[in-house]
């Protein structure tokens, strides 16, 4: 199974990706996390990405496509995977279709998680992450056992600068300016599955599963 998840920040992509990984035994590929790791490692790509990420803007297509290409051409090439946060633009999707085709690995489905902007702002401003293991919590829907502390590492949780409300508003504008074309591209390719996120996590997951092609 080769899947792409599309949706604004805070739509529950990460949570659904995690369930798909665990239950369908898929590799998780998150470009946001890859870029943050590149920044931690101070690689040339990471350094170039910093100003865009700090402003909540998209990193240039060539930079992200390069990170993805490197990952797929590495020693542990993913075969069954779920992509979280990539492709984000139609140009990335067109490039990725060609790249996957060359590798003989066409996508099976693109899951669009549908949510209103107000709900996105509400959910994102209550997101906190562990600075050590990167586990994501939500103060409203998925709180840690002890307030402000990671369940696994016992570290104080932090709010990522790109989860500040002003940054979220910018990211939503960015999302809408590119996502419509991206979604239209995958709809035309017959790959798009639209799933409402106005439901409990488990129901959303079951709706995703029901929308997927069988026997993959
Ligand atoms: P995320 O963790 O997926 O929300 O991504 C965090 C940030 O990384 C985004 O706000 C972008 O600046 C950058 N980023 C992640 N994936 C992409 C992508 N596919 N295209 C461009 N920028 C990206």
């Amino acid at each position: 199974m080769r899947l792409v998840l599309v949706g604004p920040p805070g739509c529950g992509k990460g949570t659904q990706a995690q369930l798909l990984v665990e239950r369908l035994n898929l590799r998780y590929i998150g470009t946001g996390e890859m870029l943050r790791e590149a920044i931690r490692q101070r690689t040339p790509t990471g350094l170039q990405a910093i100003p865009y990420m700090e402003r909540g803007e998209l990193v240039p297509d060539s930079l992200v496509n390069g990170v993805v290409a490197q990952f797929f051409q590495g020693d542990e090439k993913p075969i069954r995977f779920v992509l979280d946060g990539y492709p984000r633009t139609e140009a990335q999707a067109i490039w990725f279709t060609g790249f996957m085709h060359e590798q003989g690995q066409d996508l099976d489905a693109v899951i669009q998680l549908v949510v209103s902007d107000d709900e996105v702002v509400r959910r994102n401003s209550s997101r906190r992450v562990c600075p050590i293991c990167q586990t994501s919590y939500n103060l409203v829907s998925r709180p840690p056992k002890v307030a402000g502390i990671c369940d696994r590492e016992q570290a104080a949780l932090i709010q990522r600068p790109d989860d500040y409300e002003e940054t979220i508003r910018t990211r939503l504008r960015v999302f809408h300016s590119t996502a419509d074309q991206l979604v239209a591209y995958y709809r035309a390719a017959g790959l798009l599955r639209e799933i409402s996120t106005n439901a409990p996590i488990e129901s959303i997951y079951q709706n995703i599963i029901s929308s997927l092609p069988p026997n993959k």
Side-chain angles (χ1 to χ4, degrees), residues 31-32 35-36 53 57-59 64 85-86 88 92 171:
T31 44
L35 289 166
R36 282 189 288 277
M53 291 178 72
E57 294 170 6
L58 290 186
V59 167
V64 184
Y86 180 90
R88 285 265 231 290
Q92 289 178 14
R171 292 169 83 199

Side-chain angles (χ1 to χ4, degrees), residues 87-198:
R88 285 265 231 290
T89 65
E90 188 187 15
Q92 289 178 14
I94 292 169
W95 178 86
F96 190 61
T97 299
F99 179 74
M100 284 281 96
H101 204 69
E102 276 168 22
Q103 316 251 328
Q105 285 196 321
D106 292 325
L107 288 175
D108 295 306
V110 175
I111 314 292
Q112 183 192 12
L113 296 177
V114 181
V115 63
S116 75
D117 283 5
D118 284 347
E119 182 62 14
V120 166
V121 170
R122 198 183 68 81
R123 288 187 201 171
N124 277 49
S125 49
S126 49
R127 180 157 68 177
R128 299 290 183 275
V129 293
C130 172
I132 297 173
C133 66
Q134 310 302 322
T135 299
S136 185
Y137 297 87
N138 188 292
L139 301 183
V140 181
S141 59
R142 206 179 169 201
K145 292 191 185 106
V146 178
I149 304 292
C150 176
D151 294 347
R152 276 161 51 182
E153 301 290 342
Q154 313 304 317
L157 300 179
I158 56 164
Q159 186 174 27
R160 282 183 1 205
D162 52 2
D163 284 337
Y164 296 157
E165 177 161 349
E166 202 185 301
T167 318
I168 297 165
R169 296 270 176 207
T170 304
R171 292 169 83 199
L172 274 172
R173 272 195 299 279
V174 170
F175 176 76
H176 287 300
S177 70
T178 59
D180 290 357
Q181 278 184 325
L182 176 72
V183 161
Y185 171 82
Y186 282 128
R187 186 179 288 118
L191 288 172
L192 193 73
R193 310 284 182 268
E194 289 171 75
I195 308 288
S196 166
T197 61
N198 196 9

Side-chain angles (χ1 to χ4, degrees), residues 35 39 43-53 55 59-60 62-63:
L35 289 166
I39 291 172
T43 67
T45 300
L47 296 177
Q48 284 180 70
I50 289 175
Y52 299 96
M53 291 178 72
R55 290 195 297 263
V59 167
S62 56
L63 217 64

